[in-house]
Amino acid sequence: MNILVTAGPTREALDPVRFLSNRSSGRMGYAIAAAAAQAGHAVRLISGPVALETPAGVERIDVVSAQAMADAVQAHVTWCEALVMAAAVADWRPATVSPAKLKKHAGTLTLELERTPDILASVQPLKGARIYVGFAAETGDPEAEARRKLAAKGLDLIVANDVSRPDAGFEVATNAVMLIDSDGSLRQIETAPKAEIASELVTWIEARAKQA
Ligand code: C5P
């Protein structure tokens, strides 16, 4: 299969030296790209800025901002049979980007933020028989929130994790997730290395592709 994976954070510039971003390390998405390539699939990885090596056999496309990631996904999605959106895309960006470094001054500074494009929503018209997998990083009730996102974003599967746990989510090598299928079924994977969760996910994608 041709599998398109996104990973890592995005950076939203405020000025030439400052940006807004998040704690995503890219590890989960990179583990998925590696597992998919190891299983013999053709893999393209659209990556935000991370400190990770490109997995063997993976074609990597580097981007910085949410808009650039949206453009790259749009450009590559028709190539793929499965899209895995593991990236932690920034939800807001500064409404204006200063061309010069903002000068420090006394008192407070108010930033105006605007929404970034919703990438999964933007590629929904291209879905057809493609398999779309999303992620939901939650700190509240991960199952309820993930089920809502699965339906709202028209996904085949959502991988939900509770990022408030110390052994799951951002910046750690392990994760504990729930795989929630559009058929309603839920599978819990207890704390495991991200590589193991990644290969379970690839197995799920292969099985779903066979059903089509
Ligand atoms: O941010 P949220 O929890 O809604 O993200 C759920 C899914 O949507 C993730 O798979 C993420 O990669 C994707 N996403 C997106 N475009 C955004 C924000 C998130 O496609 N602007």
Side-chain angles (χ1 to χ4, degrees):
M1 292 177 74
N2 289 353
I3 303 184
L4 182 63
V5 181
T6 68
T10 66
R11 285 183 185 170
E12 310 304 323
L14 262 167
D15 70 16
V17 297
R18 303 185 180 94
F19 55 82
L20 299 178
S21 193
N22 60 64
R23 286 174 51 202
S24 169
S25 65
R27 281 182 183 170
M28 193 64 239
Y30 272 60
I32 294 162
Q38 236 159 34
H41 301 291
V43 182
R44 291 185 185 169
L45 172 62
I46 299 173
S47 176
V50 298
L52 296 172
E53 301 237 334
T54 309
V58 168
E59 184 188 335
R60 171 168 161 184
I61 299 128
D62 285 311
V63 296
V64 176
S65 66
Q67 184 61 57
M69 186 170 281
D71 293 344
V73 171
Q74 193 83 39
H76 291 276
V77 73
T78 54
W79 165 85
C80 82
E81 291 151 275
L83 166 67
V84 182
M85 279 290 308
V89 185
D91 292 318
W92 286 279
R93 66 186 170 206
T96 52
V97 182
S98 170
K101 187 182 170 197
L102 293 166
K103 292 246 180 289
K104 175 160 44 188
H105 56 72
T108 60
L109 171 69
T110 303
L111 292 177
E112 191 187 345
L113 304 179
E114 63 182 17
R115 288 296 304 269
T116 54
D118 185 315
I119 300 175
L120 278 169
S122 75
V123 294
Q124 196 49 233
L126 299 168
K127 187 174 183 305
R130 292 187 176 84
I131 296 166
Y132 281 5
V133 178
F135 273 69
E138 308 296 342
T139 53
D141 176 353
E143 185 184 339
E145 210 22 47
R147 284 195 188 276
R148 191 189 63 73
K149 283 181 188 171
L150 177 79
K153 297 189 181 232
L155 302 173
D156 298 290
L157 184 79
I158 196 154
V159 183
N161 54 358
D162 178 353
V163 293
S164 60
R165 287 169 57 150
D167 60 348
F170 296 137
E171 295 170 326
V172 290
T174 54
N175 211 350
V177 301
M178 277 182 276
L179 301 184
I180 306 176
D181 196 304
S182 56
D183 71 9
S185 66
L186 181 149
R187 194 159 137 240
Q188 188 102 35
I189 305 181
E190 284 312 325
T191 307
K194 285 181 174 171
E196 208 172 298
I197 292 173
S199 58
E200 298 258 4
L201 187 58
V202 170
T203 303
W204 180 92
I205 291 170
E206 290 166 345
R208 175 55 75 104
K210 278 204 195 97
Q211 280 169 24

